[in-house]
Amino acid sequence: MKNPQIEIKSEEILSQKHYTYKKVTLQYTDEQKSETQTREVLDRGNGATILLYNKENQSVVLVKQFRLPTFLNKNKTGMLIEACAGMLEEENPEDTIKREVQEETGYTIHSVKKIFQAYMSPGAVTEIIHFFVGEYSNEMKTGKGGGLESEHENIEILEIKFEKAMKMIISGEIEDAKTIMLLQYAKIQNLLAN
């Protein structure tokens, strides 16, 4: 199948409060048909996430925080265990994730490695997440973490043994897609091997 030809006919802003939500009308033409389609799209910007790991302790640092959308979709407490993450602002993905690590966990990390990027919900959301890994040690703990009050963040910092974190995927204690992807990457790549 060849790539279709896409022509954007119109874009209508439905909401532009915290994110931009719009209705897009397009002409979609492929080898078999040409049709007008209408789609609704959420543009929330792009983000970055990281798995902090410690080979010596065989541990990872994750965070736990309230996520309203999960509460609205059958998560009884709304609390979610996740890898540290944040939205890109003016800086590049690497600087973003270093800033987010400091704000959320209190660790100051200087070296991170980008491993891939992914569209997380391509049927409706434009967002690309940049995935990183980075080693941490106790000496890198320079702040208390917990997130920013100005962003209404109330983040619990969790240091978990890597093998326990992997079991938490199976038990359903970890349900966040980006975190599962990072943990599985670490397992496949033997990231914590000494």
Side-chain angles (χ1 to χ4, degrees):
M1 178 183 202
K2 291 184 180 178
N3 291 338
Q5 292 181 331
I6 307 297
E7 181 185 348
I8 303 298
K9 296 290 191 178
S10 66
E11 293 186 18
E12 177 188 349
I13 302 295
L14 302 175
S15 175
Q16 203 167 16
K17 293 182 181 170
H18 192 60
Y19 305 123
T20 301
Y21 185 56
K22 57 187 166 182
K23 181 167 76 171
V24 178
T25 303
L26 60 109
Q27 190 68 33
Y28 179 98
T29 306
D30 65 17
E31 296 169 326
Q32 295 158 7
K33 66 184 175 300
S34 181
E35 62 185 6
T36 301
Q37 299 179 1
T38 301
R39 299 281 186 261
E40 292 181 4
V41 177
L42 178 66
D43 184 352
R44 49 172 279 138
N46 295 322
T49 186
I50 189 167
L51 181 67
L52 295 175
Y53 67 96
N54 182 301
K55 287 183 182 181
E56 184 179 340
N57 295 337
Q58 291 293 295
S59 59
V60 294
V61 170
L62 301 174
V63 296
K64 185 176 182 180
Q65 60 186 314
F66 177 74
R67 294 296 197 184
L68 176 61
T70 73
F71 180 78
L72 297 174
N73 193 15
K74 301 181 183 173
N75 179 353
K76 291 179 184 175
T77 65
M79 300 301 286
L80 201 65
I81 296 173
E82 307 175 53
C84 177
M87 301 304 298
L88 271 58
E89 292 177 10
E90 297 299 317
E91 71 268 85
N92 63 45
E94 184 175 313
D95 291 340
T96 295
I97 204 57
K98 289 177 181 177
R99 174 181 49 79
E100 288 292 337
V101 166
Q102 177 63 46
E103 290 173 7
E104 292 187 7
T105 71
Y107 287 93
T108 300
I109 57 171
H110 302 289
S111 178
V112 297
K113 176 184 175 187
K114 184 173 178 182
I115 53 174
F116 55 82
Q117 64 187 43
Y119 290 98
M120 296 303 289
S121 189
V125 182
T126 61
E127 178 182 43
I128 294 172
I129 299 287
H130 301 267
F131 286 74
F132 292 87
V133 292
E135 288 193 69
Y136 76 94
S137 65
N138 293 338
E139 296 76 35
M140 295 177 179
K141 184 81 169 175
T142 59
K144 66 181 182 90
L148 297 178
E149 257 185 61
S150 62
E151 294 181 8
H152 309 287
E153 294 178 319
N154 184 13
I155 296 171
E156 181 183 350
I157 303 152
L158 306 173
E159 186 172 25
I160 303 170
K161 292 293 184 184
F162 177 67
E163 288 305 322
K164 180 181 179 185
M166 293 301 296
K167 290 177 183 170
M168 291 170 75
I169 297 171
I170 305 303
S171 71
E173 294 169 86
I174 293 178
E175 296 182 288
D176 176 64
K178 67 185 178 300
T179 306
I180 293 169
M181 292 166 72
L182 283 165
L183 289 168
Q184 289 178 338
Y185 172 89
K187 184 74 169 178
I188 291 165
Q189 299 296 323
N190 292 316
L191 201 60
L192 280 85
N194 285 323

